[in-house]
Every structure is written in structure tokens, then in C-alpha cells.
């Protein structure tokens, strides 16, 4: 009960949603395409970067609540390989906000037993960003609680290319048998269960090159809410939606007869 109080203020809509949630059937891994920062800003006649700044507050809340709820893995899509196409000033602000987020939140992540990992082509990021990421990964590597993956300079296709290249170089040393397990083990997410629930904010119905291999059987929840407005209430709604789904994995309904 004290935990319920900590996760939601009694009498609020989120407390009611939390009550309806089956805490024994949480998704193990939730992945989020954090979208709509630009539209959130435009709605307020603000520059796009104001939307990115506001989005940090959502990251803070969702990371904290996910860990306290007991999710094993949370993966956030923060910057795609394709996002380099944006104006230089916007990219610069996004990188600056990322560094700021880590600097401000690192103690909280470490104290919350959260393990931080950056996934993507990290070696192509600026040295100052890499240093910050490296520091955060080292500071939290022994944490045993929720794993927080932040996808940066990430592309699902690039991840598969990187995995196949690894397999190719392995095969130059010894014979290898290509299997689903081997491919999974060569992805950035090696050792992490596939996402059970994929959330996309701002209403877009597409994957935008995110975790293409891993979402094979993820349940998808799209909310019209823009990322800067996304709070625990929306996460609870997404989890409740997930809990209503029947996951069949190509089989037939549990207990159904032919
Ligand atoms: C998501 O918001 C943040 C990133 C992709 C970095 P957008 O910046 O894509 O916002 P919209 O889609 O233009 O509203
Ligand atoms: C996906 O959002 C990438 C991230 C959330 C980091 P985009 O806004 O870049 O995707 P598209 O362009 O709408 O497909
Ligand atoms: Mg977008």
C-alpha cells in the first residue's frame, strides 16, 4: 500500500489506473518512441527546442516511475541516425540536453539502482557526449534494478548490419551457424528480453527504424499525447491496454478448440 501511495496520489486518476493494474503481469520490457516535441512547441508558438527541453521532464518522470513499478527494462528512443538531417542548431541542442540530463540525473539513477546503457552507433557521437555516456554507464554498471537503454544515433537496420558484420568476422575465425539466438546475441540489446510493449507518442503509426528485430511480437500502443505531456497516467494507461491484449504468437486463443 505504501508503494501505491508513492506511485500515485490517492484519489487521483493515476491512483485509480494503478489499482486496476495487475502488478504480477507487468510487461518486462517497455520501449518508447518519444515523439511530438516539435508539435508540442508549435502548439504553443515556441521554438522546436522548447519542446525538447520540456520532454526531459517526461523522461525524468517515466524513468523514475518505471523503475519503481518494477519494470525490468525501459528503452527510450532519443535520437535516430536519420535525425542528423535536422538543422544543425536543433541537433546541437538535443546533444546538449542529453548531456545535461545525464549530469543532473546520474546520482538519481545510481541511487535508484538503475543501470544506464546507451545503444546505437555511439562511437560516431561527439567526444564530449561519449565521455558523459561512458561515465554514466560506468557509474551504474553494478546496479541490479531496472535497465535503462537510451537509443542514440540508433537505427534498427544499422544495428542489424552491425550484428551481421560481427557474425561475419566470427566466421572468419571459426565456423558459425547462423540462428535467431546468434543474431539476438549480436544486437546492441544482447541479453535483454525483447520489448513486450512498444509505446509511440504523438499519434504516428510507424516504427521509424526502431528495434526492428526485437519488436517482432511486441504489443503496440499509440497515444495521441505529445511526448512533453506524457506522464505516469499515460504509462499506466499503456500498461492497462497491454494487459487487455491476448498475445498469441501465431498460435490460437488459449483454451480454444478447433
Ligand atoms: C521527438 O520529437 C524527439 C526527437 C525525434 C529527437 P520530434 O522532434 O520528432 O517532434 P515532432 O515529431 O516534430 O513533433
Ligand atoms: C523517431 O521520431 C525518432 C525518435 C523518437 C528519436 P522521428 O520524429 O524522427 O520519426 P519520423 O520522422 O516521424 O518517422
Ligand atoms: Mg517526430
Amino acid at each position: 500500500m505504501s508503494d501505491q501511495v508513492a506511485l500515485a496520489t490517492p484519489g487521483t486518476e493515476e491512483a485509480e489506473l494503478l489499482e486496476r493494474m495487475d502488478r504480477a503481469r507487468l510487461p518486462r520490457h517497455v520501449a518508447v518512441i518519444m515523439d511530438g516535441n516539435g508539435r508540442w512547441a508549435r502548439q504553443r508558438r515556441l521554438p522546436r527546442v522548447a519542446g525538447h527541453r520540456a520532454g526531459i521532464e517526461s523522461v525524468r518522470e517515466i524513468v523514475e516511475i518505471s523503475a519503481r513499478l518494477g519494470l525490468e527494462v525501459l528503452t527510450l528512443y532519443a535520437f535516430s541516425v536519420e535525425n542528423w538531417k535536422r538543422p544543425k542548431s536543433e541537433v546541437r541542442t538535443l546533444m546538449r540536453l542529453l548531456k545535461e540530463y545525464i549530469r543532473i540525473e546520474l546520482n538519481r539513477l545510481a541511487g535508484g539502482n538503475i543501470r544506464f546503457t546507451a545503444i546505437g552507433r555511439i562511437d560516431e557521437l561527439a567526444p564530449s557526449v561519449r565521455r558523459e555516456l561512458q561515465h554514466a554507464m560506468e557509474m551504474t554498471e553494478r546496479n541490479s534494478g531496472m535497465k535503462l537503454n537510451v537509443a542514440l544515433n540508433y537505427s534498427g537496420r544499422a544495428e542489424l548490419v552491425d550484428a551481421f558484420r560481427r557474425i561475419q568476422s566470427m566466421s572468419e575465425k571459426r565456423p558459425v551457424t547462423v540462428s535467431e539466438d546468434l543474431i539476438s546475441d549480436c544486437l546492441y540489446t544482447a541479453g535483454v528480453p525483447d520489448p513486450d510493449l512498444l509505446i509511440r507518442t504523438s499519434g504516428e503509426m510507424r516504427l521509424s527504424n526502431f528495434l526492428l528485430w526485437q519488436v517482432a511480437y511486441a504489443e503496440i500502443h499509440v497515444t495521441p499525447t505529445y511526448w512533453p505531456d506524457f506522464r505516469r497516467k499515460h504509462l499506466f494507461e499503456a500498461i492497462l491496454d497491454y494487459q487487455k491484449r491476448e498475445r498469441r504468437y501465431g498460435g490460437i486463443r488459449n483454451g480454444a478448440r478447433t
Side-chain angles (χ1 to χ4, degrees):
M1 186 61 199
S2 60
D3 171 43
Q4 301 271 103
V5 173
L7 282 164
T9 312
T12 58
E13 193 185 351
E14 51 255 36
E16 194 257 324
L17 291 167
L18 191 61
E19 195 109 312
R20 276 167 40 209
M21 198 184 292
D22 180 351
R23 298 279 294 276
R25 271 194 327 116
L26 288 175
R28 293 177 69 190
H29 181 174
V30 175
V32 188
I33 303 176
M34 308 184 287
D35 197 17
N37 295 354
R39 277 162 283 169
W40 181 93
R42 197 173 58 210
Q43 219 177 34
R44 290 162 178 74
R45 299 176 191 282
L46 294 168
R48 290 179 56 82
V49 293
H52 298 317
R53 187 166 281 286
I56 298 281
E57 200 40 52
S58 307
V59 173
R60 219 170 258 143
E61 175 158 327
I62 296 309
V63 167
E64 187 190 328
I65 293 298
S66 300
R68 280 165 47 198
L69 199 56
L71 299 188
E72 284 177 46
V73 190
L74 176 70
T75 300
L76 302 178
Y77 200 5
F79 192 86
S80 74
V81 161
E82 290 79 16
N83 288 148
W84 293 108
K85 291 181 201 153
R86 296 184 179 203
K88 270 204 174 72
S89 57
E90 181 173 344
V91 171
R92 225 179 299 127
T93 304
L94 281 166
M95 294 297 158
R96 192 161 40 79
L97 286 171
L98 168 72
K99 286 190 279 184
E100 244 178 69
Y101 169 78
I102 295 174
R103 255 179 244 142
I104 295 171
E105 289 300 298
L106 187 54
N107 283 338
R108 240 171 359 147
L109 295 179
N113 198 22
I114 294 168
R115 183 169 174 192
F116 175 91
T117 314
I119 60 168
R121 289 193 170 158
I122 302 307
D123 50 346
E124 291 173 1
L125 295 171
S128 65
V129 177
R130 281 192 336 246
R131 264 197 307 276
E132 214 65 61
L133 296 172
Q134 201 55 42
H135 178 59
M137 289 195 265
E138 281 163 14
M139 286 280 292
T140 61
E141 71 187 349
R142 281 186 200 84
N143 285 354
S144 55
M146 187 183 79
K147 189 161 203 265
L148 170 64
N149 293 320
V150 177
L152 287 163
N153 194 24
Y154 177 89
S155 140
R157 287 189 172 186
E159 180 180 31
L160 284 166
V161 169
D162 289 349
F164 297 155
R165 284 185 183 149
R166 278 181 67 187
I167 294 173
Q168 188 176 30
S169 74
M170 274 182 210
S171 73
E172 282 157 11
K173 289 172 208 127
R174 58 180 171 84
V176 293
T177 307
V178 178
S179 65
E180 290 195 7
D181 283 346
L182 179 66
I183 294 172
S184 292
D185 287 346
C186 290
L187 297 174
Y188 309 142
T189 52
V192 167
D194 287 339
D196 302 291
L197 171 62
L198 172 69
I199 300 172
R200 182 161 188 155
T201 61
S202 90
E204 306 291 0
M205 302 281 186
R206 55 177 171 263
L207 292 174
S208 301
N209 213 353
F210 191 41
L211 301 175
L212 297 180
W213 174 274
Q214 297 91 329
V215 298
Y217 267 106
E219 295 297 329
I220 302 174
H221 174 89
V222 176
T223 167
T225 304
Y226 294 147
W227 177 251
D229 289 328
F230 193 90
R231 287 292 179 274
R232 71 187 75 189
K233 165 180 124 105
H234 305 96
L235 177 69
F236 295 168
E237 278 168 356
I239 293 175
L240 281 168
D241 183 23
Y242 163 84
Q243 290 185 334
K244 279 194 228 122
R245 309 277 180 92
E246 190 198 354
R247 303 183 79 185
R248 287 194 291 270
Y249 300 100
I252 57 170
R253 195 160 59 82
N254 248 347
R257 284 162 195 270
T258 47

